[in-house]
Amino acid sequence: MESITKNRQSPDVLRAMVARAYGAGEVPEGDGWASELGHGWFNVAYRVCLRSGREVVLKIAPPPHVEVMTYERGAMGIELATLELLRARTSVPVPAVDYADSSHEVCDADYFFMPYIDADNLGIISEHLPAAERDAYMEHLGAANREINSVRGPGFGPLAGPHDASWRHVFTDIVEDVLADGEARGVDIGWPYDAVRTAVEEHAASLDEVTEPCLVEWDLWDSNAMVRDGKIACIIDHERALYGDPLFEAGFTGSQMPAFGDAAPFMRGYGHEQLTENEQVRRRLYCLHLALVMIIETVYRGHTDTKQYDWARPRLDEAMALLGRTRQ
């Protein structure tokens, strides 16, 4: 996916980054030692072969001059903090961090190196898998996501704080940030912005049922799962994590909006196969939020085609309809 947030660097800068992380003896020579991993949507990532032959991945945050959405600020720091939490408090397979640098001395943005994971991206291979095999992987992903959610936080909100005792306050602020981002750039979401605010306000009481702040990935789609030999080999891309409601997780999205795929295998693996009426309302609010993000981010990322926007716009209509709102 092409995006102006991808902070590509020259070979000379990449070599300097390798030298800082691994020492001069690992700096590659010649050509072809770095290749871009193109499936990400936000950060640029390179597969790098060090001089010793060891393969690593370099992930670089967006350029400082590129405006990102409010919730994306400091995303790489969030990812590093999440990886540390998951390694310390769960058995979920996540990448190790070989080296992280936020000095901006050799690169104009934060970056980190991690080992290359020799496995398949589930989001890429899933359409070619037999249904039973894909469902089995999604059950494994659901189980892993449940373990991630077992990590408890001191309050709702960003990992580093500030924390709040009310998930309602935190989530409605999250939605407001997205709406404000859209208004600031004049993004046409197909609805009056205040109509969306009203829909959220009308159903916000459902959020009060959530009283325990859990570590939530939010962006754990199949494309962020690396698989091998029938198992989850590694879960990647943890930059949107926060303390919140486990139903906020991506795997539950299809339970209310089939366009996002069948949620049943994930939910079986998670051990939460049926949603209560109140849980359905909450999940519909989260679908609304997701649709807004998918629409508005296309402007912030400078997409050169309208494919994502055109797909996401009807999803916002569906989410509004699920919350009792239809066009007049």
Side-chain angles (χ1 to χ4, degrees):
M1 172 65 70
E2 190 54 52
S3 171
I4 61 173
T5 60
K6 291 192 174 184
N7 192 2
R8 297 181 175 93
Q9 300 293 321
S10 69
D12 286 344
V13 172
L14 295 177
R15 285 189 178 94
M17 296 163 80
V18 169
R20 175 164 287 208
Y22 298 103
E26 283 285 27
V27 175
E29 298 177 322
D31 299 318
W33 49 268
S35 58
E36 185 177 335
L37 300 172
H39 63 269
W41 290 24
F42 184 60
N43 297 309
V44 68
Y46 293 97
R47 179 177 176 177
V48 176
C49 183
L50 304 177
R51 189 182 299 184
S52 64
R54 178 187 172 198
E55 290 193 303
V56 297
V57 170
L58 166 62
K59 193 168 183 178
I60 308 173
H65 66 274
V66 171
E67 183 182 19
V68 298
M69 294 179 68
T70 299
Y71 84 98
E72 295 174 320
R73 297 170 187 166
M76 186 157 286
I78 295 170
E79 176 159 25
L80 292 169
T82 305
L83 288 170
E84 184 176 353
L85 270 174
L86 293 176
R87 286 195 302 271
R89 297 172 63 177
T90 76
S91 63
V92 174
V94 296
V97 176
D98 288 344
Y99 181 82
D101 185 5
S102 59
S103 71
H104 300 184
E105 292 172 353
V106 297
C107 176
D108 63 359
D110 297 357
Y111 66 90
F112 73 92
F113 284 90
M114 57 187 171
Y116 173 73
I117 306 300
D118 186 14
D120 293 314
N121 184 292
L122 180 57
I124 293 175
I125 68 168
S126 61
E127 64 182 87
H128 306 295
L129 295 175
E133 187 175 349
R134 185 187 189 284
D135 286 355
Y137 275 131
M138 291 306 296
E139 288 186 23
H140 290 318
L141 189 60
N145 208 154
R146 182 177 185 128
E147 186 175 355
I148 290 170
N149 296 155
S150 72
V151 177
R152 301 296 190 258
F156 295 105
L159 300 191
H163 298 126
D164 194 305
S166 167
W167 173 237
R168 186 207 287 220
H169 292 164
V170 169
F171 178 73
T172 54
D173 283 350
I174 288 171
V175 175
E176 181 55 36
D177 283 344
V178 175
L179 291 170
D181 286 340
E183 288 175 321
R185 297 290 290 269
V187 182
D188 178 11
I189 63 172
W191 288 81
Y193 278 75
D194 283 344
V196 176
R197 289 185 172 97
T198 299
V200 173
E201 183 180 353
E202 287 176 346
H203 297 86
S206 66
L207 303 164
D208 291 335
E209 186 175 77
V210 184
T211 59
E212 193 165 36
C214 301
L215 179 63
V216 172
E217 290 273 6
W218 181 61
D219 197 37
L220 186 47
W221 303 95
D222 56 4
S223 58
N224 286 332
M226 306 298 292
V227 299
R228 182 178 56 237
D229 300 329
K231 298 180 180 180
I232 303 291
C234 192
I235 292 174
I236 60 174
D237 291 352
H238 306 268
E239 58 220 5
R240 291 168 177 79
L242 73 161
Y243 292 120
D245 176 7
L247 286 182
F248 200 34
E249 296 287 21
F252 292 102
T253 309
S255 69
Q256 304 303 304
M257 296 180 67
F260 285 93
D262 181 12
F266 173 91
M267 293 173 68
R268 277 198 305 274
Y270 192 97
H272 195 141
E273 296 187 54
Q274 298 293 328
L275 301 185
T276 67
E277 184 175 341
N278 190 77
E279 288 173 337
Q280 290 186 58
V281 173
R282 291 188 346 243
R283 186 54 252 186
R284 291 168 183 177
L285 286 171
Y286 306 153
C287 289
L288 175 70
H289 164 260
L290 176 59
L292 288 169
V293 169
M294 293 186 71
I295 293 167
I296 293 168
E297 73 180 7
T298 63
V299 173
Y300 280 82
R301 296 183 181 179
H303 286 190
T304 55
D305 64 60
T306 64
K307 183 178 179 180
Q308 179 177 317
Y309 178 92
D310 293 342
W311 188 88
R313 271 285 294 102
R315 306 291 84 77
L316 181 57
D317 295 343
E318 291 173 27
M320 289 290 279
L322 287 170
L323 296 171
R325 291 273 168 165
T326 56
R327 295 183 181 281
Q328 302 300 318

